[in-house]
PDB file of all heavy atoms in Angstrom:
ATOM      1  N   ASN R  23       7.352   8.539 -12.739  1.00 97.00           N
ATOM      2  CA  ASN R  23       6.515   7.754 -11.830  1.00 97.00           C
ATOM      3  C   ASN R  23       7.285   7.602 -10.522  1.00 97.00           C
ATOM      4  O   ASN R  23       8.550   7.379 -10.420  1.00 97.00           O
ATOM      5  CB  ASN R  23       6.262   6.390 -12.380  1.00 97.00           C
ATOM      6  CG  ASN R  23       5.295   6.462 -13.520  1.00 97.00           C
ATOM      7  OD1 ASN R  23       4.121   6.742 -13.350  1.00 97.00           O
ATOM      8  ND2 ASN R  23       5.815   6.181 -14.706  1.00 97.00           N
ATOM      9  N   LEU R  34      15.665  10.649  -3.133  1.00 97.00           N
ATOM     10  CA  LEU R  34      15.402  10.994  -4.527  1.00 97.00           C
ATOM     11  C   LEU R  34      16.851  11.516  -4.957  1.00 97.00           C
ATOM     12  O   LEU R  34      17.398  12.550  -4.476  1.00 97.00           O
ATOM     13  CB  LEU R  34      14.388  12.160  -4.690  1.00 97.00           C
ATOM     14  CG  LEU R  34      13.852  12.385  -6.070  1.00 97.00           C
ATOM     15  CD1 LEU R  34      13.304  11.090  -6.629  1.00 97.00           C
ATOM     16  CD2 LEU R  34      12.687  13.461  -5.881  1.00 97.00           C
ATOM     17  N   ILE R 101       6.597  29.320  13.219  1.00 94.00           N
ATOM     18  CA  ILE R 101       5.970  27.984  13.302  1.00 94.00           C
ATOM     19  C   ILE R 101       4.502  28.067  12.932  1.00 94.00           C
ATOM     20  O   ILE R 101       3.958  27.274  12.196  1.00 94.00           O
ATOM     21  CB  ILE R 101       6.251  27.292  14.545  1.00 94.00           C
ATOM     22  CG1 ILE R 101       7.754  27.022  14.767  1.00 94.00           C
ATOM     23  CG2 ILE R 101       5.508  25.991  14.776  1.00 94.00           C
ATOM     24  CD1 ILE R 101       8.113  26.396  16.074  1.00 94.00           C
ATOM     25  N   GLY R 104       0.307  31.912   9.567  1.00 86.00           N
ATOM     26  CA  GLY R 104      -0.865  31.592   8.829  1.00 86.00           C
ATOM     27  C   GLY R 104      -1.776  30.553   9.569  1.00 86.00           C
ATOM     28  O   GLY R 104      -2.813  30.260   9.067  1.00 86.00           O
ATOM     29  N   ALA R 122       4.484  26.279  20.526  1.00 96.00           N
ATOM     30  CA  ALA R 122       5.706  26.396  19.892  1.00 96.00           C
ATOM     31  C   ALA R 122       6.833  25.736  20.623  1.00 96.00           C
ATOM     32  O   ALA R 122       7.603  24.957  20.085  1.00 96.00           O
ATOM     33  CB  ALA R 122       6.021  27.822  19.489  1.00 96.00           C
ATOM     34  N   ILE R 179      21.740  15.174  14.475  1.00 86.00           N
ATOM     35  CA  ILE R 179      20.408  15.501  15.083  1.00 86.00           C
ATOM     36  C   ILE R 179      19.335  15.290  14.172  1.00 86.00           C
ATOM     37  O   ILE R 179      18.281  14.623  14.480  1.00 86.00           O
ATOM     38  CB  ILE R 179      20.417  16.941  15.638  1.00 86.00           C
ATOM     39  CG1 ILE R 179      21.366  17.127  16.801  1.00 86.00           C
ATOM     40  CG2 ILE R 179      18.979  17.373  16.080  1.00 86.00           C
ATOM     41  CD1 ILE R 179      21.619  18.584  17.159  1.00 86.00           C
ATOM     42  N   SER R 189       9.603   5.908  12.601  1.00 95.00           N
ATOM     43  CA  SER R 189       9.038   4.855  13.481  1.00 95.00           C
ATOM     44  C   SER R 189       7.602   5.254  13.859  1.00 95.00           C
ATOM     45  O   SER R 189       6.865   4.327  14.309  1.00 95.00           O
ATOM     46  CB  SER R 189       9.979   4.667  14.712  1.00 95.00           C
ATOM     47  OG  SER R 189       9.905   5.875  15.477  1.00 95.00           O
ATOM     48  N   GLY R 254      55.081  26.594  -7.980  1.00 93.00           N
ATOM     49  CA  GLY R 254      56.136  27.581  -8.369  1.00 93.00           C
ATOM     50  C   GLY R 254      56.501  28.579  -7.215  1.00 93.00           C
ATOM     51  O   GLY R 254      56.487  28.267  -6.091  1.00 93.00           O
ATOM     52  N   ARG R 284      51.629  29.099  -3.094  1.00 97.00           N
ATOM     53  CA  ARG R 284      52.458  29.157  -4.200  1.00 97.00           C
ATOM     54  C   ARG R 284      51.790  29.066  -5.482  1.00 97.00           C
ATOM     55  O   ARG R 284      50.670  28.423  -5.496  1.00 97.00           O
ATOM     56  CB  ARG R 284      53.561  28.012  -4.191  1.00 97.00           C
ATOM     57  CG  ARG R 284      54.636  28.253  -3.134  1.00 97.00           C
ATOM     58  CD  ARG R 284      55.618  27.052  -3.034  1.00 97.00           C
ATOM     59  NE  ARG R 284      56.614  27.347  -1.973  1.00 97.00           N
ATOM     60  CZ  ARG R 284      57.660  28.055  -2.211  1.00 97.00           C
ATOM     61  NH1 ARG R 284      57.928  28.591  -3.419  1.00 97.00           N
ATOM     62  NH2 ARG R 284      58.539  28.310  -1.123  1.00 97.00           N
ATOM     63  N   MET R 295      32.596  23.753  11.106  1.00 76.00           N
ATOM     64  CA  MET R 295      31.833  24.958  10.756  1.00 76.00           C
ATOM     65  C   MET R 295      31.990  25.767  12.000  1.00 76.00           C
ATOM     66  O   MET R 295      31.929  25.497  13.143  1.00 76.00           O
ATOM     67  CB  MET R 295      30.388  24.623  10.586  1.00 76.00           C
ATOM     68  CG  MET R 295      29.814  25.432   9.333  1.00 76.00           C
ATOM     69  SD  MET R 295      28.381  24.802   8.781  1.00 76.00           S
ATOM     70  CE  MET R 295      28.872  23.375   7.681  1.00 76.00           C
ATOM     71  N   ILE R 320      51.222  40.185  -2.320  1.00 97.00           N
ATOM     72  CA  ILE R 320      50.940  39.462  -3.565  1.00 97.00           C
ATOM     73  C   ILE R 320      52.168  39.557  -4.470  1.00 97.00           C
ATOM     74  O   ILE R 320      52.600  40.684  -4.716  1.00 97.00           O
ATOM     75  CB  ILE R 320      49.647  39.869  -4.272  1.00 97.00           C
ATOM     76  CG1 ILE R 320      48.477  39.554  -3.442  1.00 97.00           C
ATOM     77  CG2 ILE R 320      49.561  39.267  -5.654  1.00 97.00           C
ATOM     78  CD1 ILE R 320      47.173  39.789  -3.973  1.00 97.00           C
ATOM     79  N   GLY R 349      27.209  35.706  -4.999  1.00 79.00           N
ATOM     80  CA  GLY R 349      27.664  35.199  -6.263  1.00 79.00           C
ATOM     81  C   GLY R 349      26.824  35.700  -7.548  1.00 79.00           C
ATOM     82  O   GLY R 349      27.347  36.050  -8.574  1.00 79.00           O
ATOM     83  N   VAL R 436      27.636  14.376  -8.196  1.00 86.00           N
ATOM     84  CA  VAL R 436      29.006  13.719  -8.214  1.00 86.00           C
ATOM     85  C   VAL R 436      29.673  13.743  -9.594  1.00 86.00           C
ATOM     86  O   VAL R 436      30.907  13.981  -9.695  1.00 86.00           O
ATOM     87  CB  VAL R 436      28.996  12.201  -7.784  1.00 86.00           C
ATOM     88  CG1 VAL R 436      28.817  12.101  -6.349  1.00 86.00           C
ATOM     89  CG2 VAL R 436      27.753  11.484  -8.548  1.00 86.00           C
ATOM     90  N   PHE R 481      45.089  28.910  12.841  1.00 94.00           N
ATOM     91  CA  PHE R 481      45.634  27.672  12.169  1.00 94.00           C
ATOM     92  C   PHE R 481      46.302  26.831  13.230  1.00 94.00           C
ATOM     93  O   PHE R 481      47.177  27.265  13.976  1.00 94.00           O
ATOM     94  CB  PHE R 481      46.748  28.085  11.116  1.00 94.00           C
ATOM     95  CG  PHE R 481      46.071  28.576   9.803  1.00 94.00           C
ATOM     96  CD1 PHE R 481      46.870  29.295   8.885  1.00 94.00           C
ATOM     97  CD2 PHE R 481      44.782  28.187   9.481  1.00 94.00           C
ATOM     98  CE1 PHE R 481      46.241  29.813   7.722  1.00 94.00           C
ATOM     99  CE2 PHE R 481      44.219  28.723   8.285  1.00 94.00           C
ATOM    100  CZ  PHE R 481      44.868  29.475   7.373  1.00 94.00           C
ATOM    101  N   GLN R 492      41.589  11.458   7.344  1.00 90.00           N
ATOM    102  CA  GLN R 492      40.418  12.078   7.996  1.00 90.00           C
ATOM    103  C   GLN R 492      40.619  12.154   9.456  1.00 90.00           C
ATOM    104  O   GLN R 492      40.193  13.060  10.102  1.00 90.00           O
ATOM    105  CB  GLN R 492      39.258  11.037   7.771  1.00 90.00           C
ATOM    106  CG  GLN R 492      38.921  10.826   6.222  1.00 90.00           C
ATOM    107  CD  GLN R 492      37.377  10.955   5.918  1.00 90.00           C
ATOM    108  OE1 GLN R 492      36.666  11.499   6.792  1.00 90.00           O
ATOM    109  NE2 GLN R 492      36.949  10.458   4.808  1.00 90.00           N
TER     110      GLN R 492
END
Side-chain angles (χ1 to χ4, degrees):
N23 289 294
L34 194 54
I101 291 180
I179 293 172
S189 70
R284 289 175 181 278
M295 223 165 275
I320 291 184
V436 282
F481 279 161
Q492 300 225 16

